[in-house]
């Protein structure tokens, strides 16, 4: 491994360690009750080091956003010929859920994570911002791969999955059986994105613009 590669590996390892320490503290005490100085001390790094890796405190908990963006953009860019961008994203989300990947799965042991987010307005605001960034990244990938009306297609896709995901999270927080919720979440994901894809396909077949088809 060359010097640059070794340096990047160590940087990634430090970033991961800081996030793990921060997440443990957030889960134990809540997001707003933990300061960045406490995180730095627990991780045995200087406070500026924390901000060198994370621009915002909220990103210590949402540290996997870059991975999420890379996955969805890759799904759109690398989809097989004949597969729509929406269904490529559906396939990705279902696969990640089946693998137990934290970016898409619904499991009972993530309940405390969702509770921490629900307890903090700062985290909820940041989650909305990151969702907007994700939508923009998907729209750009769709535009680059000749998807008609990429901005609206991305917006409908993200809105559909967000609705399905938040409904499942609320059910978990309400105490419903996690295994049953996870099974239904998988089915709802497939159905919701199939509805979006079908609607857009029908409009394209009929020669109707997406905005016109939605009554805009």
């Amino acid at each position: 491994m060359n010097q640059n590669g070794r340096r990047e590996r160590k940087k990634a390892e430090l970033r991961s360690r800081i996030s793990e320490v921060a997440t443990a503290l957030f889960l134990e005490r809540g997001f707003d009750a933990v300061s960045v100085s406490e995180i730095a001390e627990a991780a045995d790094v200087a406070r500026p080091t924390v901000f060198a890796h994370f621009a915002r405190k909220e990103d210590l908990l949402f540290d996997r956003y870059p991975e999420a963006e890379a996955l969805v953009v890759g799904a759109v860019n690398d989809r097989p010929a004949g597969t729509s961008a929406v269904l490529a994203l559906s396939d990705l989300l279902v696969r990640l859920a089946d693998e137990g990947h934290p970016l898409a799965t619904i499991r009972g042991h993530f309940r405390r994570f969702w509770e921490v987010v629900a307890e903090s307005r700062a985290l909820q605001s940041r989650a909305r911002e990151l969702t907007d960034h994700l939508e923009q990244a998907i729209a750009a990938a769709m535009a680059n791969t000749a998807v008609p009306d990429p901005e609206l297609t991305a917006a409908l896709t993200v809105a559909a999955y967000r609705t399905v995901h938040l409904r499942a999270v609320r059910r978990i927080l309400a105490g419903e059986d996690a295994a049953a919720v996870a099974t239904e979440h998988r089915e709802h994901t497939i159905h919701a994105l199939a509805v979006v894809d079908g609607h857009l396909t029908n409009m394209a077949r009929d020669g109707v613009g997406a905005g016109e088809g939605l009554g805009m």
Side-chain angles (χ1 to χ4, degrees):
M1 181 181 295
N2 60 36
Q3 191 65 27
N4 287 337
R6 186 178 298 108
R7 186 181 300 112
E8 288 303 313
R9 177 178 59 80
K10 290 183 177 180
K11 182 178 178 180
E13 290 173 351
L14 178 57
R15 184 181 189 278
S16 179
R17 180 164 64 84
I18 293 171
S19 175
E20 288 174 1
V21 169
T23 299
L25 290 171
F26 295 151
L27 296 181
E28 178 184 355
R29 295 163 49 194
F31 178 79
D32 297 327
V34 178
S35 70
V36 174
S37 294
E38 289 176 293
I39 294 167
E41 182 177 356
D44 195 25
V45 298
R47 192 173 187 274
T49 300
V50 176
F51 286 113
H53 290 271
F54 299 92
R56 297 172 55 165
K57 178 185 172 186
E58 293 84 0
D59 293 343
L60 287 157
L61 190 68
F62 297 137
D63 64 303
R64 300 189 75 161
Y65 171 79
E67 178 185 359
E69 181 175 317
L71 284 168
V72 297
V73 168
V76 173
N77 286 337
D78 302 331
R79 65 187 187 275
T83 299
S84 72
V86 176
L87 291 187
L89 289 169
S90 177
D91 291 344
L92 169 69
L93 292 167
V94 170
R95 176 173 62 80
L96 292 178
D98 289 346
E99 293 173 354
H101 196 291
L103 292 175
T105 195
I106 296 293
R107 301 285 175 89
H109 61 264
F110 290 120
R111 175 172 180 164
R112 180 54 188 156
F113 177 93
W114 295 323
E115 287 176 340
V116 170
V117 175
E119 293 165 357
S120 170
R121 290 185 179 181
L123 285 175
Q124 292 173 43
S125 176
R126 184 57 173 159
R128 287 190 291 269
E129 290 177 359
L130 291 176
T131 300
D132 288 344
H133 291 323
L134 198 64
E135 180 183 316
Q136 292 166 14
I138 292 171
M142 288 180 172
N144 290 336
T145 55
V147 174
D149 292 308
E151 292 84 3
L152 187 55
T153 301
L156 291 172
T157 303
V158 171
Y161 182 70
R162 181 177 182 274
T163 299
V164 169
H165 181 75
L166 289 179
R167 178 170 56 190
V169 169
R170 292 186 184 112
R171 292 177 63 190
I172 294 289
L173 294 178
E176 293 191 37
D177 180 72
V181 173
T183 298
E184 292 176 19
H185 174 260
R186 185 183 192 279
E187 297 169 354
H188 292 161
T189 297
I190 294 171
H191 174 72
L193 295 189
V195 168
V196 170
D197 188 62
H199 180 67
L200 294 170
T201 299
N202 289 339
M203 288 193 302
R205 181 193 61 205
D206 296 338
V208 179
E212 297 173 277
L214 293 172
M216 295 181 182

